[in-house]
């Protein structure tokens, strides 16, 4: 009996001990990781090993998120001076680059688009163009979200479009229920009990903000210009907030929590909600691939590439867009077909049959989309100005140095290379702080009604949208890259990877893509690309291959985080609506991951080949080894 009592006490003590270890697992990881790795730099006292020690600690903290990503990004600034790798002033200089100026201009544009509801008008209009069949409707939502994601953050796009999708889905379900009811009774008309869009915006955004931070973007109710009363911004903001609060209370009172059986009339309705949600999560991520500014991984790649290879002019907004727009379109269509087959069953004849009569589902979805678009009213002055500045920014990016004709940067021949994409972004970004938000308005008695001068966006609104954590994270990546170069770690890695030159280049690229696609499912996309770029660039130099041949595919594959709700914020936002289970995302996301890697491999082997002359080793890249086994097949 005493032995049994001792065993029971031991088991209880062990469970308590393991429980405490689990609770303080992050603290244990933060303390033990540096201590366990410390003997290595103490025994092998070289700069390469000391830099590798810092790199491993930062990589482990980023992958496990033991510390916040932006906090971990400050570790190089602390440890490099202590190891004598870089002085503190030199490390500090790497934390602010041209990337941050470009991001500043882009966020000014994004802030104005969100503030004045231009995103909602664009999304609804694009959906109206493709029709109301559930399959075509899903394609319309995908291309709407993809287009917005080219210019806004992926997270912000998903948070904007998902409430519209949810309202349409609920409208379709309710309309079918009413059709069934009308068949058994003589009551006429359709009583729409679907949730209003503004209610869903308030509710869904509170869910997504609780689940995961959204890279600095504000998730409050989007404020629009009150064209009826011409109220000042502050008063209208309070009015909108109160309206959203009242609507949310009404919904909570009138809509009790129900089970899945009450939420969905049939399995088909549930499948539709799943497909609609996943299409927004995937298109918000895929659309961001198209432009340099579309996602943080593209920006990190562009800045690190231009820093490592300053003589290269291959990567700019225009060349990246031409490279990636076919990838985006192909992957978007394949994703649509995959989701159609997975959740609806892809009936080719039914999808493309002309002249068929619209079903009740299609009429209901068309009605809710049309109603929501009409609620926006005529396009406002603020939307017009934002749209004009948006188009001007895109034109300046495309025409700076298009390659096939001289761009506007050639107007300054004495300062070649001085003006970059950030120059155009800052020029247009500053105008958002200058142009008045409210024009001079004529009263009924020819008297002018004026407001105090308020610009299109204010600094407070810009701060709410600016992803400061990404800025610091990217700065930490630049500091790591600089430390690897100065310490000689990059050269050491390159020499060790030279034997890979005996493998076919396509296999090296494919292995790199699979590795980063796997890692990015459990680590943040910016952290993944920041870890792998300083390793893959020396690899390309070591095997005497064009660096872009390896760096472009791996950069694109870093965004393919489709498997889990925690893989990226758009997944988390869609998951928060309660239609999906984890296995639903894994099953659908695995197919998208495989298709994504294959499409990227196709692109790098076909149209990217002549664009960047991938068959020759560029003169702007350093020559580390003799060109044996270096010819690209």
């Amino acid at each position: 009996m005493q032995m049994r009592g001792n065993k029971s006490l031991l088991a209880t003590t062990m469970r308590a001990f393991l429980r405490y270890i689990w609770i303080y697992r992050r603290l244990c990881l933060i303390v033990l990781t540096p201590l366990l790795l410390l003997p290595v730099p103490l025994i092998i006292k070289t700069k390469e090993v000391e830099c590798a020690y810092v790199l491993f600690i930062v990589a482990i903290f980023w992958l496990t998120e033991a510390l916040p990503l932006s906090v971990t990004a400050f570790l190089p600034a602390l440890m490099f001076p202590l190891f004598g790798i870089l002085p503190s002033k030199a490390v500090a200089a790497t934390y602010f680059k041209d990337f941050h100026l470009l991001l500043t201009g882009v966020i000014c544009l994004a802030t104005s688009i969100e503030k004045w509801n231009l995103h909602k008008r664009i999304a609804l209009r694009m959906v109206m163009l493709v029709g109301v069949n559930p399959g075509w409707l899903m394609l319309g939502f995908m291309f709407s979200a993809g287009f917005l994601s080219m210019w806004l953050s992926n997270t912000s796009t998903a948070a904007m479009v998902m409430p519209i999708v949810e309202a349409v889905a609920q409208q379709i379900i309710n309309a079918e229920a009413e059709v069934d009811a009308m068949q058994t009774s003589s009551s006429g008309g359709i009583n729409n009990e679907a949730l209003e869009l503004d209610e869903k915006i308030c509710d869904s955004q509170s869910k997504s903000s609780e689940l995961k931070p959204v890279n600095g973007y504000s998730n409050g109710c989007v404020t629009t210009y009150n064209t009826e009363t011409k109220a000042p911004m502050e008063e209208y903001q309070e009015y909108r907030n109160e309206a959203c609060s009242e609507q949310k209370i009404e919904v909570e009172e009138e809509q009790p929590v129900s089970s899945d059986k009450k939420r969905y009339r049939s399995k088909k309705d549930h499948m539709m909600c799943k497909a609609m949600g996943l299409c927004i999560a995937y298109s918000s991520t895929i659309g961001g691939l198209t432009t340099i500014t579309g996602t943080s991984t593209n920006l990190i790649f562009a800045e690190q590439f231009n820093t490592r290879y300053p003589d290269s002019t291959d990567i700019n907004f225009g060349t990246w867009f031409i490279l990636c727009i076919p990838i985006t379109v192909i992957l978007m269509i394949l994703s649509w077909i995959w989701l159609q087959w997975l959740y609806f069953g892809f009936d080719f004849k039914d999808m493309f049959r002309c002249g068929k009569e619209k079903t009740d589902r299609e009429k209901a979805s068309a009605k809710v989309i049309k109603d929501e678009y009409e609620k926006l009213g005529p396009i406002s002055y603020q939307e017009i100005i934002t749209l004009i500045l948006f188009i001007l920014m895109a034109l300046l990016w495309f025409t700076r140095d298009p390659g096939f004709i001289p761009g506007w940067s050639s107007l300054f021949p004495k300062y070649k290379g001085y003006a970059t994409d950030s120059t155009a972004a800052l020029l247009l970004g500053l105008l958002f702080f200058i142009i008045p938000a409210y024009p001079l308005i004529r009263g009924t008695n020819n008297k002018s009604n004026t407001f105090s001068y308020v610009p299109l966006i204010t600094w407070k609104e810009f701060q709410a949208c600016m992803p400061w954590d990404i800025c610091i994270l990217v700065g930490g990546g630049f500091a790591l890259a600089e430390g690897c170069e100065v310490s000689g770690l990059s050269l050491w890695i390159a020499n060790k990877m030279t034997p890979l030159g005996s493998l076919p280049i396509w296999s090296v690229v494919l292995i790199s893509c699979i590795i980063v696609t796997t890692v990015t499912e459990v680590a943040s996309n910016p952290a993944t690309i920041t870890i792998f770029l300083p390793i893959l660039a020396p690899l390309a130099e070591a095997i005497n291959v064009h660096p872009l041949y390896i760096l472009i595919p791996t950069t694109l594959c870093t965004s393919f985080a489709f498997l889990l709700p925690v893989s990226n914020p758009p997944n988390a936002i869609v998951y928060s609506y309660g239609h999906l289970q984890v296995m639903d995302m894994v099953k659908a996301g695995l197919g998208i991951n495989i298709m994504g890697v294959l499409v990227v491999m196709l692109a790098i082997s076909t149209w990217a080949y002549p664009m960047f002359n991938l068959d020759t080793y560029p003169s702007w890249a350093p020559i580390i080894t003799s060109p044996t086994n270096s010819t690209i097949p």
Side-chain angles (χ1 to χ4, degrees):
M1 292 293 291
Q2 185 176 1
M3 186 176 294
R4 289 182 181 177
N6 291 338
K7 286 184 178 180
S8 177
L9 179 61
L10 181 62
T12 304
T13 305
M14 184 60 68
R15 283 196 297 269
F17 175 74
L18 292 176
R19 190 183 305 115
Y20 280 114
I21 291 295
W22 179 252
I23 293 173
Y24 293 101
R25 64 189 183 278
R26 295 180 184 274
L27 179 61
C28 294
L29 190 64
I30 294 168
V31 174
L32 292 178
T33 300
L35 291 179
L36 293 177
L37 295 176
L38 187 58
V40 179
L42 292 179
I43 296 172
I44 309 173
K45 296 182 179 180
T46 62
K47 296 301 178 187
E48 294 90 338
V49 174
E50 291 169 350
C51 183
Y53 172 74
V54 178
L55 179 62
F56 273 111
I57 292 176
V58 173
I60 291 171
F61 285 179
W62 271 341
L63 293 175
T64 61
E65 297 191 30
L67 287 172
L69 297 179
S70 52
V71 174
T72 302
F74 283 119
L75 290 181
L78 169 66
M79 302 178 76
F80 280 164
L82 296 179
F83 281 109
I85 297 172
L86 282 171
S88 184
K89 289 183 178 180
V91 181
T94 63
Y95 276 81
F96 196 90
K97 296 281 189 177
D98 186 62
F99 155 84
H100 297 87
L101 299 178
L102 177 62
L103 185 63
T104 300
V106 171
I107 296 303
C108 290
L109 170 65
T111 304
S112 186
I113 288 176
E114 293 180 37
K115 177 180 178 180
W116 302 112
N117 261 359
L118 180 60
H119 64 284
K120 188 174 173 183
R121 186 178 297 276
I122 293 173
L124 289 173
R125 191 62 187 173
M126 291 185 70
V127 170
M128 290 171 66
L129 292 175
V130 299
V132 292
N133 176 280
W136 293 114
L137 191 63
M138 188 167 70
L139 184 65
F141 277 126
M142 290 182 73
F143 276 97
S144 299
F147 176 78
L148 291 174
S149 184
M150 294 180 190
W151 318 103
L152 309 178
S153 79
N154 302 348
T155 305
S156 184
T157 300
M160 293 171 191
V161 180
M162 192 57 201
I164 304 174
V165 174
E166 181 71 5
V168 171
Q170 294 301 323
Q171 174 73 10
I172 292 173
I173 293 173
N174 286 348
E176 282 200 340
E178 289 166 0
V179 169
D180 292 342
M182 284 191 295
Q183 290 177 352
T184 57
S185 64
S186 58
S187 59
I190 294 180
N191 181 26
N192 178 14
E193 297 178 357
L195 298 180
E196 293 294 330
L197 185 62
D198 284 341
E199 297 167 353
K200 294 302 297 180
I201 288 176
C202 296
D203 184 51
S204 65
Q205 289 175 342
S206 64
K207 286 182 181 177
S208 61
S209 61
E210 289 173 4
L211 183 61
K212 197 161 184 175
V214 242
N215 291 341
Y217 279 84
S218 173
N219 283 335
C221 295
V222 180
T223 304
T224 54
Y225 180 59
N226 189 349
T227 55
E228 295 180 1
T229 61
K230 311 298 184 201
M233 195 65 206
E234 292 79 6
E235 295 180 6
Y236 192 61
Q237 178 79 34
E238 293 176 2
Y239 163 76
R240 290 284 293 165
N241 289 341
E242 290 175 2
C244 285
S245 300
E246 292 174 1
Q247 290 170 346
K248 186 174 180 181
I249 292 171
E250 291 176 4
V251 171
E252 291 175 351
E253 292 176 352
E254 296 175 5
Q255 302 288 341
V257 178
S258 60
S259 63
D260 283 349
K261 292 183 178 179
K262 293 182 180 179
R263 189 175 186 184
Y264 312 108
R265 298 181 60 254
S266 64
K267 184 179 179 181
K268 187 176 181 180
D269 289 339
H270 195 184
M271 294 298 103
M272 179 192 67
C273 292
K274 288 182 179 182
M276 289 285 194
L278 287 173
C279 81
I280 298 304
Y282 297 159
S283 57
S284 297
T285 300
I286 294 169
L289 302 175
T290 314
T291 61
I292 284 286
T293 59
T295 183
S296 57
T297 54
N298 293 355
L299 283 166
I300 293 170
F301 159 73
E303 183 60 33
Q304 289 210 14
F305 179 83
N306 291 327
T307 301
R308 187 178 183 89
Y309 308 109
D311 296 330
S312 172
T313 58
D314 289 343
I315 298 298
N316 56 52
F317 191 91
T319 57
W320 187 267
F321 185 86
I322 294 171
L323 167 70
C324 291
I325 189 65
I327 297 175
T328 300
V329 173
I330 293 172
L331 192 52
M332 199 88 76
I333 293 174
L334 289 178
S335 302
W336 173 64
I337 294 173
W338 170 249
L339 291 175
Q340 280 276 10
W341 176 80
L342 203 60
Y343 290 104
F344 295 129
F346 194 79
D347 189 346
F348 186 85
K349 291 183 179 180
D350 184 67
M351 286 290 298
F352 294 93
R353 189 174 62 189
C354 298
K356 65 176 182 178
E357 187 178 352
K358 292 181 179 179
T359 64
D360 296 317
R361 279 174 173 255
E362 294 169 353
K363 292 177 182 178
S365 57
K367 183 178 184 302
V368 72
I369 291 173
K370 184 179 179 181
D371 289 346
E372 292 302 332
Y373 187 80
E374 289 177 350
K375 286 179 185 178
L376 296 175
I379 188 168
S380 65
Y381 158 81
Q382 295 86 354
E383 290 176 274
I384 293 173
I385 298 299
T386 300
L387 183 61
I388 292 173
L389 294 179
F390 167 59
I391 295 172
L392 285 177
M393 186 179 290
L395 287 176
L396 288 177
W397 280 337
F398 277 113
T399 59
R400 179 180 66 85
D401 187 16
F404 55 92
I405 57 171
W408 59 263
S409 61
S410 61
L411 299 175
F412 310 96
K414 292 184 179 180
Y415 310 106
K416 187 177 181 180
Y418 278 42
T420 63
D421 289 335
S422 64
T423 308
L426 280 179
L427 173 63
L428 275 302
L430 290 175
L431 292 180
F432 286 102
F433 292 99
I434 298 173
I435 298 176
Y438 300 98
L440 193 66
I441 301 170
R442 287 277 177 191
T444 54
N445 298 325
N446 289 330
K447 294 182 179 180
S448 297
N449 296 329
T450 60
F451 298 100
S452 59
Y453 171 69
V454 178
L456 283 172
I457 61 173
T458 63
W459 179 252
K460 189 174 182 180
E461 292 163 345
F462 169 80
Q463 279 187 309
C465 284
M466 185 68 179
W468 299 108
D469 53 342
I470 295 297
C471 294
I472 298 171
L473 175 64
V474 173
F478 295 150
L480 272 181
E482 184 71 14
C484 291
E485 283 294 314
V486 173
S487 67
L489 180 61
S490 294
L491 182 60
W492 181 85
I493 293 173
N495 291 331
K496 296 299 179 184
M497 289 182 171
T498 303
L500 291 176
S502 59
L503 295 175
I505 301 305
W506 67 266
S507 64
V508 177
V509 176
L510 181 60
I511 291 170
S512 302
C513 291
I514 293 173
I515 291 173
V516 298
T517 303
T518 303
V519 173
T520 198
E521 296 293 349
V522 295
S524 74
N525 299 353
T528 303
I529 193 66
T530 305
I531 292 169
F532 279 96
L533 279 180
I535 298 173
L536 295 173
L539 167 62
E541 296 165 7
I543 60 179
N544 209 20
V545 170
H546 199 301
L548 290 177
Y549 200 100
I550 295 178
L551 297 183
I552 287 178
T554 49
T555 298
L556 293 173
C557 288
T558 306
S559 295
F560 296 158
F562 300 122
L563 289 184
L564 301 171
V566 297
S567 295
N568 64 25
N571 290 5
I573 291 171
V574 170
Y575 183 78
S576 70
Y577 278 78
H579 301 301
L580 296 160
Q581 296 180 351
V582 173
M583 283 309 299
D584 293 324
M585 302 197 78
V586 171
K587 183 170 62 174
L590 184 60
I592 306 295
N593 273 356
I594 294 172
M595 288 187 290
V597 172
L598 293 178
V599 170
V600 168
M601 291 297 296
L602 173 67
I604 205 66
S605 302
T606 52
W607 63 85
Y609 215 77
M611 276 186 65
F612 301 108
N613 295 320
L614 298 180
D615 56 337
T616 58
Y617 192 76
S619 58
W620 42 258
I623 299 176
I624 296 178
T625 59
S626 58
T628 58
N629 287 328
S630 60
T631 305
I632 298 177

